Amino acid sequence: MPQNYKTILIAYDHSNAAQIAARKAVEIGRKFNSVFQTVFVMTSRNDKDAPDAQAYIEALEKVQNVSLNFKIHSGSPTQVIVQEQKDTRPDLVVMGSHGMEGFMPQFLGSTAYKVANSCDCPVLIIPEAAKDFNFKNILVPVDSSSETRQKFSYASALANVFGSVVHILGVSKHKDSETQKYVNVYVSQAEDFMKNRGVQYGSSMQLGQAVSSTLIEYAGKMNCGIIFTMTENESAGFMLGPSAMRLVNSSPYPVFCIHNHHVAGLGGGGL
């Protein structure tokens, strides 16, 4: 099933990372004619930022000629954002990380991952270091599990509208023959998937190495703007929760987190 991003929820706190995330959300939304919702979560630490946050979003609306539907909630940032996602049912959540003010410092670790893992739609996490990123190159890691295939449709949707090259990387911390067999199968399926949808792609394989550091290094080598991952287990060899969390924590590149949806008859692959 082709993916679309008709509704986008922006988690905003007026940090530098959040400003980057808001601008990139608009960039994505323009390609998909999206409707936006923007939420600022007010806490005892950032209540003074609310007026400036609203002013920034209103200025962005005028410059970009879009409606971002800004609103303020109070409470736990994680709980509010997740509840907002469940209430508004967006196709994508976009938020910054590594912010220096507001609630974003909490997004440096498990909170960012917790938000992504608790939402049942994709969450794009954009670090402050990625202020100059673009969509020309997208990294899609493929491991030995059928769940890994769920990334294909999300990645191809972005690649089609931005004219991106998808870099398919077969990875696992294991390199036994069984792992190699399945990784080869799913890499081949990824290649066919992209080819059938007119997406430019390249592929490579790196087994027997630490996954998160391998992805970051490869993304830098290929000048990738986004790394795709699953928030739940893909396999014992790849994105276990802690491994995905390490990627979210340490990646200088945006991480596109996809929640695993089990699909009957497809082993979770969703093809």
Side-chain angles (χ1 to χ4, degrees), residues 216-232:
I216 292 171
E217 181 180 348
Y218 194 81
K221 176 182 176 182
M222 306 307 292
N223 195 29
C224 293
I226 294 179
I227 303 174
F228 276 71
T229 188
M230 305 290 291
T231 57
E232 294 186 356

Side-chain angles (χ1 to χ4, degrees), residues 55-72:
Y56 180 87
I57 294 299
E58 289 175 351
L60 185 61
E61 287 177 318
K62 291 179 181 179
V63 170
Q64 297 292 338
N65 192 29
V66 295
S67 177
L68 298 179
N69 297 303
F70 180 86
K71 54 185 173 182
I72 298 174

Side-chain angles (χ1 to χ4, degrees), residues 36-126:
F36 298 94
Q37 297 289 336
T38 304
V39 60
F40 177 91
V41 185
M42 188 164 61
T43 70
S44 59
R45 296 176 58 191
N46 71 352
D47 55 334
K48 295 181 180 179
D49 295 330
D52 289 338
Q54 183 168 358
Y56 180 87
I57 294 299
E58 289 175 351
L60 185 61
E61 287 177 318
K62 291 179 181 179
V63 170
Q64 297 292 338
N65 192 29
V66 295
S67 177
L68 298 179
N69 297 303
F70 180 86
K71 54 185 173 182
I72 298 174
H73 287 298
S74 299
S76 161
T78 302
Q79 293 176 2
V80 170
I81 293 167
V82 172
Q83 187 60 52
E84 187 71 12
Q85 184 270 321
K86 296 185 184 303
D87 291 341
T88 61
R89 312 307 300 175
D91 301 300
L92 176 66
V93 176
V94 181
M95 66 185 191
S97 66
H98 299 242
M100 299 304 293
E101 56 184 315
F103 61 80
M104 289 298 179
Q106 301 171 42
F107 281 6
L108 279 167
S110 61
T111 304
Y113 182 71
K114 191 181 297 182
V115 170
N117 202 40
S118 299
C119 290
D120 49 18
C121 74
V123 178
L124 176 57
I125 301 172
I126 302 176

Side-chain angles (χ1 to χ4, degrees), residues 25-248:
V26 171
E27 186 176 350
I28 294 170
R30 285 197 177 282
K31 295 289 188 178
F32 291 94
N33 194 28
S34 305
V35 173
F36 298 94
Q37 297 289 336
T38 304
V39 60
F40 177 91
V41 185
M42 188 164 61
T43 70
S44 59
R45 296 176 58 191
N46 71 352
D47 55 334
K48 295 181 180 179
D49 295 330
D52 289 338
Q54 183 168 358
Y56 180 87
I57 294 299
E58 289 175 351
L60 185 61
E61 287 177 318
K62 291 179 181 179
V63 170
Q64 297 292 338
N65 192 29
V66 295
S67 177
L68 298 179
N69 297 303
F70 180 86
K71 54 185 173 182
I72 298 174
H73 287 298
S74 299
S76 161
T78 302
Q79 293 176 2
V80 170
I81 293 167
V82 172
Q83 187 60 52
E84 187 71 12
Q85 184 270 321
K86 296 185 184 303
D87 291 341
T88 61
R89 312 307 300 175
D91 301 300
L92 176 66
V93 176
V94 181
M95 66 185 191
S97 66
H98 299 242
M100 299 304 293
E101 56 184 315
F103 61 80
M104 289 298 179
Q106 301 171 42
F107 281 6
L108 279 167
S110 61
T111 304
Y113 182 71
K114 191 181 297 182
V115 170
N117 202 40
S118 299
C119 290
D120 49 18
C121 74
V123 178
L124 176 57
I125 301 172
I126 302 176
E128 186 174 352
K131 62 181 180 179
D132 297 321
F133 88 93
N134 58 54
F135 300 92
K136 292 181 180 179
N137 295 283
I138 294 173
L139 176 55
V140 179
V142 174
D143 86 323
S144 59
S145 71
S146 58
E147 287 82 4
T148 198
R149 300 177 296 170
Q150 292 185 28
K151 296 191 287 283
F152 300 173
S153 59
Y154 291 102
S156 66
L158 281 181
N160 271 319
V161 299
F162 283 103
S164 313
V165 176
V166 170
H167 298 270
I168 303 162
L169 180 63
V171 290
S172 175
K173 66 182 180 182
H174 304 301
K175 57 178 180 179
D176 56 275
S177 59
E178 189 76 1
T179 296
Q180 291 184 44
K181 179 179 73 173
Y182 281 105
V183 173
N184 279 326
V185 167
Y186 295 134
V187 167
S188 179
Q189 288 186 0
E191 292 172 339
D192 290 342
F193 192 96
M194 299 305 163
K195 181 178 179 180
N196 292 338
R197 286 155 183 79
V199 175
Q200 289 184 285
Y201 67 90
S203 62
S204 186
M205 193 90 66
Q206 293 190 28
L207 302 180
Q209 303 175 36
V211 173
S212 57
S213 58
T214 295
L215 297 182
I216 292 171
E217 181 180 348
Y218 194 81
K221 176 182 176 182
M222 306 307 292
N223 195 29
C224 293
I226 294 179
I227 303 174
F228 276 71
T229 188
M230 305 290 291
T231 57
E232 294 186 356
N233 294 9
E234 290 194 68
S235 78
F238 186 21
M239 286 299 177
L240 296 174
S243 185
M245 190 184 300
R246 283 193 294 272
L247 181 62
V248 169

